[in-house]
Amino acid sequence: MASAAPSKTAKKHHARLNNPFPRAVPAAAIRNGDAAPRLSFAPASKLAHAHDFPVGTRFRLRWDPFPGGQVSLSRVPSCGGAARRAMWESVPGVAFLSAASAATEADECRGSFALRDGRARLVPHRQHVDKIRAFYRCDAEAGADLLRGAAFQASDATRFPVLVITGLLSAKQSSSAPCSCCGLRSGGRRARGAAGRPALSARYWILLEEKTDTQVAFSVKIGDYQWTCAHADPARSPPATATTTTTTTPRIHRPSLRLRLSARVQRPTSKKMRLVPSREETSPLLPPEPERAEARPEEFNRVFLTYASSRDERFYGFGEQFSRVEFKGKRVPVLVQEQGIGRGDQPITFAANLVSYRSGGNWSTTYAPSPFYMTSKMRSLYLEGYDYSIFDLTKPDRVQIQIYGNSVQGRILDGDSPTQLLISYTESTGRPPVLPRWITSGAVVGMQGGTDTVRRVWKQLQDYDVPVSAFWLQDWVGQRKTAIGSQLWWNWEVDDAHYHGWKDLVGDLRRSGIRTMIYCNPCLVPMHQKPNTKRHLFEEAKKLGILVKDEAGEPYMMPNTAFDVAMLDFTNPEAHAWFKKILRGMVDDGVSGWMADFGEGLPLDARMHSGEDPVAAHNRYPELWARVNREFADEWRAGSVAATAEEAGGEDGLVFFVRSGFRESSRWAMLFWEGDQMVSWQANDGIKSSVVGLLSGGLSGFPLNHSDAGGYCTVDLPFLRYRRGEELLLRWMEVNAFTVVFRTHEGNKPASNCQFYSNSRTLAHFARCAKLYKAWEFYRDELVREAAAAGLPVARHLFLHYPADERVQALTYQQFLVGTEMLVVPVLDKGRSAVTAYFPASAGAWRHVWTGAGYGAGVQGGFEAEVQAPVGYPAVFVKAGSPVGERFISNLRDLKVL
């Protein structure tokens, strides 16, 4: 793999004001519509005729030479059945594989990242297909060279036949430059004396293999380039074997052009890095300079996959996204990072970018992306590995994926519905475990302030008869004041001064059936400023050598708001073992769960214990962070006396929840939360974005998710105020009463925000929403088990069950399903007391929970209706005649909510 590791990092500490309008998502090094590489094949070969090639026993690849060559993958039709639609197909006459070499610049500031490509080099203009061949187990040995080139290794589980496509990627020859090998100019005229430029070519191998009944794995490998005669037969050189070609270096003058760096003044704590060794830039087709021939030749470090789409095809997925649910027409980067403050909502994004480089984020920034999508045409694909990638959906007739590496692995999925595709996807990438029943039995109360404050609010909750499952006390480690508000001491031990009688508090809550949850993250800070510190975890980790290191081999200190932090290096097994002991100490004190915060900020020039490429490690780190927490929770369950109780009824067990993630995070994370939304009504970062994140994450294999009720990010300055008002808090509670976990948060500036305990109205409304949440506990338990078994989310975008409805395809935050039996249409705009509900075609009749009114009976097609939704009565519907709906309404009556 061609490494993207940076060779140089410069920390800048100049002006404190930044460009408030930073560049948007970067363009790809090769644009998919500008002089797209062409597809070719030998007209005299077997490829001159259409042919079907088997891929396993359930799939087939069809080659069609007209017009210009095309491949398409589909499921084999059942006996006597109609031909199946294509799961994947190339654009006729257009190369479906290309490559390049490009230098990349990266800017980094406090968990926000931006990558930009320089001019692409070594860019092929043509993909030539030499051979397509299916290999059965009996003839795999005869095709060993070809299979070895494709990096194929057979096992007992291999589903033969496997398919290999091989050929050449070739660079365009200048029309005026004669070839040094034969002296011919373009068009066949012989040049007189002048030596010309050679042509670039590289052998590629594409392997297709049936992995499951619904998945075809693909892998792409590209050999080293070589410079050959521009007029040689591309079908004959280089050979289609595993032999790596040798780079030859003719003595050719090349212009001395250097990559132009950005003229932007670097800002405080911003780091600029080159992700490939710095070299002089040259023409895309020129080889390395002769005098440097002894150096390692430049490698391809970009792979491009281009294939067909249609103008009306809609794309869903790409992880937990906060501004969009559907992505046709967009260029989607897949890079873990802070979601940003504002993300395009103004004026907060302007202000955040101004004071901290790129901290405002944009529509695409997210803690938990994933290189996965499904479409309205029931096509789905995901990439394996952790390389940075960009999915370019800006052209109406095609998709282009740019991968920052020199090989690609992934899978193409087959299914007739979104639920089938999601089940197939999560079968490979992982699903969460069944949550212990205690965390979904009532409200999780987010509190700060110390023992006396917790006991006082607990008494208030008892007075209002609020069903409570846990107190989440994030400030258990103590607090310090910073520029952004109250923040925690990142040293994972209880602060006995702040929480005097900690064990008594935990024990009293537990005896009342209430658990205690706390907070931690994978970072540590020096603790010399805190007087009552018992253990200095940063110093311990530094001494053990288990912290992420910088280029000098020292702990990498990263700016985070008002202080610097170091990250644990979980590629080091010793870091795993050490942190599990920290978690053991927390649990031994009676803690039942915790927020496992952060994980998205690994620097792109870090030095890891594993030695792996830090850009790929950056995307993998959230999974490593979730894994160490999950392993401890599973080990505790297996080794404790509570294991028997959990097996009996699922009542016990530990729970942690994360915000950062990647493709396989659900294999390790027990529960997600959506991170730090603004306390705002705005679309890109606030109550609306919390619904978008919930639904997009559910479409991407993150089935158990929730947000902070009321939001988190608060700004309280004389010239800029984002403070949580009462109405926003009440409406956010109504939304979260229908998510898998109902949890509050005071925000980063509690005194500036309305809280659930602020007055009698907020306390009464909190009690009402907690009982709403309690009333569907029976159904929630069923849905949590379905998430663990099939990967289907608790809160669902309607596309999962009504994919053919075009109105449904365009929905974002307006409404959502809970399972299949409940429909929620929340109020997400200030001052509104009614909503417009949409009832999809073929959904049947729905019953309004509060009035009993029916909607949809006897109506053909989808339709809208305006529904009253005053505070305390969110627009909630159940399917008419549904046992789930009948029981939910009965429980509401028993709880005196209805």
Side-chain angles (χ1 to χ4, degrees):
M1 173 67 69
S3 174
S7 61
K8 181 174 65 173
T9 299
K11 296 184 179 181
K12 305 296 184 179
H13 302 279
H14 301 309
R16 294 186 177 274
L17 296 180
N18 301 271
N19 180 2
F21 302 107
R23 297 182 185 180
V25 180
I30 300 178
R31 300 297 297 273
N32 60 12
D34 302 334
R38 307 305 298 172
L39 188 67
S40 67
F41 58 94
S45 70
K46 294 181 180 179
L47 299 179
H49 305 284
H51 193 77
D52 288 340
F53 298 89
V55 181
T57 58
R58 292 173 174 80
F59 303 95
R60 69 181 181 190
L61 184 86
R62 180 166 183 80
W63 164 260
D64 190 341
F66 305 103
Q70 182 185 30
V71 291
S72 61
L73 180 70
S74 62
R75 174 177 281 275
V76 175
S78 58
C79 183
R84 300 276 293 187
R85 57 173 173 76
M87 301 159 53
W88 180 95
E89 59 188 336
S90 66
V91 181
V94 175
F96 49 89
L97 175 64
S98 190
S101 177
T104 299
E105 236 176 58
D107 294 329
E108 174 184 336
C109 182
R110 294 185 174 94
S112 296
F113 302 87
L115 280 74
R116 297 187 301 276
D117 280 346
R119 182 182 176 188
R121 298 185 286 182
L122 310 179
V123 181
H125 81 292
R126 179 177 63 175
Q127 176 191 358
H128 187 86
V129 180
D130 284 351
K131 184 181 298 185
I132 303 177
R133 180 177 174 184
F135 290 92
Y136 292 83
R137 189 179 295 274
C138 60
D139 60 7
E141 185 174 345
D145 285 345
L146 196 58
L147 291 172
R148 192 180 306 114
F152 172 73
Q153 292 183 332
S155 69
D156 292 340
T158 299
R159 299 185 175 195
F160 285 95
V162 298
L163 189 74
V164 176
I165 305 173
T166 189
L168 293 179
L169 301 178
S170 304
K172 182 182 294 185
Q173 176 71 11
S174 169
S175 60
S176 61
C179 178
S180 59
C181 300
C182 62
L184 291 178
R185 296 184 186 272
S186 178
R189 293 183 294 109
R190 183 169 298 278
R192 294 187 178 180
R197 295 193 301 181
L200 175 152
S201 63
R203 173 67 54 184
Y204 70 84
W205 298 264
I206 300 173
L207 175 72
L208 297 176
E209 178 184 357
E210 178 185 312
K211 279 293 185 181
T212 73
D213 293 353
T214 59
Q215 295 187 6
V216 173
F218 65 89
S219 65
V220 176
K221 180 183 175 185
I222 301 176
D224 293 341
Y225 67 82
Q226 73 170 8
W227 302 96
T228 61
C229 174
H231 301 92
D233 181 357
R236 295 189 303 176
S237 175
T241 68
T243 305
T244 301
T245 59
T246 303
T247 303
T248 60
T249 312
R251 299 189 62 84
I252 299 172
H253 171 75
R254 57 182 235 175
S256 180
L257 300 177
R258 294 184 180 275
L259 181 66
R260 185 174 63 187
L261 301 180
S262 170
R264 177 182 59 79
V265 176
Q266 296 300 299
R267 306 307 180 189
T269 69
S270 176
K271 297 169 289 183
K272 176 174 285 190
M273 60 204 73
R274 288 287 299 271
L275 300 188
V276 296
S278 179
R279 296 183 52 171
E280 292 185 349
E281 187 168 13
T282 184
S283 163
L285 304 181
L286 292 184
E289 294 183 24
E291 60 269 25
R292 299 179 65 179
E294 72 281 3
R296 183 172 180 265
E298 185 173 12
E299 295 180 321
F300 292 113
N301 59 12
R302 299 289 185 277
V303 177
F304 298 85
L305 302 178
T306 305
Y307 49 94
S309 178
S310 60
R311 186 177 297 274
D312 63 343
E313 187 169 21
R314 294 180 179 265
F315 286 74
Y316 304 86
F318 298 110
E320 182 185 63
Q321 298 284 336
F322 295 103
S323 293
R324 302 183 65 89
V325 173
E326 196 279 312
F327 295 89
K328 185 70 170 183
K330 292 292 183 180
R331 185 175 291 111
V332 187
V334 182
L335 184 71
V336 174
Q337 60 180 309
E338 285 270 3
Q339 71 145 10
I341 302 172
R343 307 184 65 259
D345 292 336
Q346 299 299 353
I348 182 61
T349 305
F350 179 99
N353 285 334
L354 189 67
V355 300
S356 182
Y357 178 65
R358 301 194 76 94
S359 292
N362 59 50
W363 69 266
S364 69
T365 49
T366 173
Y367 309 105
S370 181
F372 160 81
Y373 67 78
M374 66 174 81
T375 82
S376 57
K377 303 293 186 183
M378 299 307 117
R379 296 194 273 208
S380 182
L381 176 149
Y382 73 89
L383 300 181
E384 298 175 301
Y386 297 91
D387 290 328
Y388 176 48
S389 59
I390 300 174
F391 286 71
D392 192 337
L393 312 176
T394 57
K395 299 296 179 182
D397 67 335
R398 68 192 65 184
V399 175
Q400 184 179 85
I401 310 176
Q402 175 182 354
I403 300 96
Y404 280 54
N406 63 1
S407 64
V408 188
Q409 296 79 40
R411 298 198 182 185
I412 300 167
L413 311 184
D414 177 57
D416 293 325
S417 69
T419 54
Q420 289 183 9
L421 292 172
L422 193 55
I423 289 169
S424 174
Y425 172 62
T426 58
E427 181 182 18
S428 297
T429 58
R431 298 161 180 160
V434 174
L435 293 174
R437 289 282 297 274
W438 63 262
I439 196 171
T440 58
S441 65
V444 177
V445 180
M447 283 289 303
Q448 299 180 86
T451 301
D452 296 340
T453 301
V454 171
R455 288 189 180 275
R456 185 184 72 250
V457 172
W458 181 19
K459 176 62 169 60
Q460 290 178 299
L461 294 174
Q462 290 173 314
D463 292 342
Y464 279 81
D465 191 28
V466 180
V468 175
S469 65
F471 270 81
W472 172 57
L473 309 176
Q474 69 163 5
D475 65 337
W476 71 293
V477 291
Q479 289 182 323
R480 55 173 160 175
K481 298 295 183 182
T482 71
I484 73 163
S486 298
Q487 291 189 271
L488 309 179
W489 286 104
W490 292 6
N491 190 65
W492 314 121
E493 63 179 13
V494 67
D495 186 319
D496 293 325
H498 195 50
Y499 277 96
H500 60 85
W502 171 254
K503 289 188 177 181
D504 291 338
L505 175 64
V506 172
D508 290 346
L509 288 169
R510 183 64 177 267
R511 283 186 287 274
S512 297
I514 299 173
R515 304 301 181 105
T516 300
M517 304 183 75
I518 55 174
Y519 173 98
C520 68
N521 67 53
C523 303
L524 300 169
V525 298
M527 296 298 294
H528 55 273
Q529 295 179 345
K530 189 171 186 287
N532 62 338
T533 302
K534 296 185 286 291
R535 289 182 66 182
H536 290 261
L537 299 183
F538 170 84
E539 298 298 337
E540 289 183 26
K542 180 180 179 180
K543 184 176 181 179
L544 292 170
I546 58 175
L547 297 173
V548 172
K549 293 180 173 58
D550 60 19
E551 291 179 323
E554 296 297 321
Y556 202 130
M557 302 305 296
M558 294 159 281
N560 184 284
T561 63
F563 50 89
D564 290 351
V565 305
M567 293 181 73
L568 288 163
D569 183 352
F570 288 119
T571 69
N572 186 339
E574 292 185 17
H576 273 253
W578 183 81
F579 194 76
K580 287 178 185 178
K581 293 177 183 177
I582 305 300
L583 296 174
R584 167 61 70 176
M586 292 159 41
V587 173
D588 286 347
D589 280 347
V591 167
S592 297
W594 56 94
M595 173 189 280
D597 200 1
F598 287 95
E600 64 279 334
L602 182 72
L604 301 182
D605 59 343
R607 297 297 182 261
M608 309 301 291
H609 173 80
S610 62
E612 65 190 271
D613 170 23
V615 178
H618 172 87
N619 277 342
R620 190 165 80 98
Y621 193 92
E623 293 180 9
L624 295 173
W625 170 227
R627 180 172 183 170
V628 69
N629 286 275
R630 175 66 180 281
E631 285 180 353
F632 171 75
D634 289 349
E635 290 163 7
W636 179 87
R637 181 184 59 194
S640 71
V641 294
T644 302
E646 185 176 14
E647 290 168 1
E651 294 295 338
D652 217 325
L654 303 175
V655 176
F656 67 93
F657 52 102
V658 302
R659 77 175 187 184
S660 64
F662 203 67
R663 180 190 56 250
E664 296 185 17
S665 285
S666 286
R667 184 186 304 279
W668 307 109
M670 301 182 76
L671 173 68
F672 274 84
W673 108 97
E674 297 180 62
D676 300 342
Q677 276 76 52
M678 294 293 301
V679 292
S680 164
W681 297 94
Q682 292 181 286
N684 292 296
D685 192 4
I687 188 171
K688 295 181 180 70
S689 71
S690 76
V691 179
V692 174
L694 179 72
L695 303 183
S696 62
L699 289 170
S700 302
F702 304 149
L704 303 179
N705 202 352
H706 71 294
S707 70
D708 299 329
Y712 171 81
C713 285
T714 310
V715 179
D716 195 2
L717 300 172
F719 57 88
L720 185 65
R721 284 196 169 97
Y722 281 77
R723 298 182 296 188
R724 182 197 296 160
E726 183 175 308
E727 184 184 0
L728 178 66
L729 176 63
L730 302 186
R731 290 304 194 182
W732 212 316
M733 288 180 187
E734 292 173 359
V735 175
N736 284 18
F738 294 95
T739 60
V740 66
V741 169
F742 179 43
R743 181 180 56 82
T744 67
H745 199 310
E746 293 182 322
N748 61 303
K749 290 182 178 290
S752 299
N753 290 328
C754 182
Q755 306 293 349
F756 71 85
Y757 52 77
S758 290
N759 55 55
S760 59
R761 292 187 306 277
T762 55
L763 276 165
H765 190 80
F766 181 49
R768 181 176 179 81
C769 288
K771 290 173 183 177
L772 263 176
Y773 177 77
K774 184 74 174 177
W776 63 282
E777 180 182 3
F778 70 96
Y779 189 40
R780 186 161 55 249
D781 179 58
E782 176 185 328
L783 295 176
V784 167
R785 293 181 182 278
E786 186 176 34
L792 298 180
V794 172
R796 302 178 185 179
H797 194 283
L798 275 70
F799 174 73
L800 274 178
H801 297 289
Y802 308 102
D805 190 316
E806 292 186 0
R807 175 67 186 276
V808 163
Q809 293 175 6
L811 290 173
T812 53
Y813 50 73
Q814 293 85 357
Q815 59 191 67
F816 60 91
L817 294 168
V818 177
T820 57
E821 306 302 295
M822 299 168 66
L823 176 67
V824 180
V825 189
V827 174
L828 302 175
D829 290 298
K830 186 176 183 178
R832 293 288 302 277
S833 60
V835 294
T836 300
Y838 177 73
F839 300 93
S842 74
W846 294 86
R847 177 184 176 186
H848 187 233
V849 166
W850 307 115
T851 66
Y855 294 84
V859 178
Q860 297 295 320
F863 73 99
E864 291 182 350
E866 184 171 290
V867 180
Q868 294 301 305
V871 171
Y873 296 87
V876 182
F877 306 84
V878 295
K879 279 191 173 178
S882 163
V884 169
E886 296 300 323
R887 186 173 175 184
F888 174 56
I889 291 172
S890 175
N891 288 346
L892 289 175
R893 293 194 182 101
D894 293 343
L895 292 165
K896 297 181 172 53
V897 178
L898 182 61

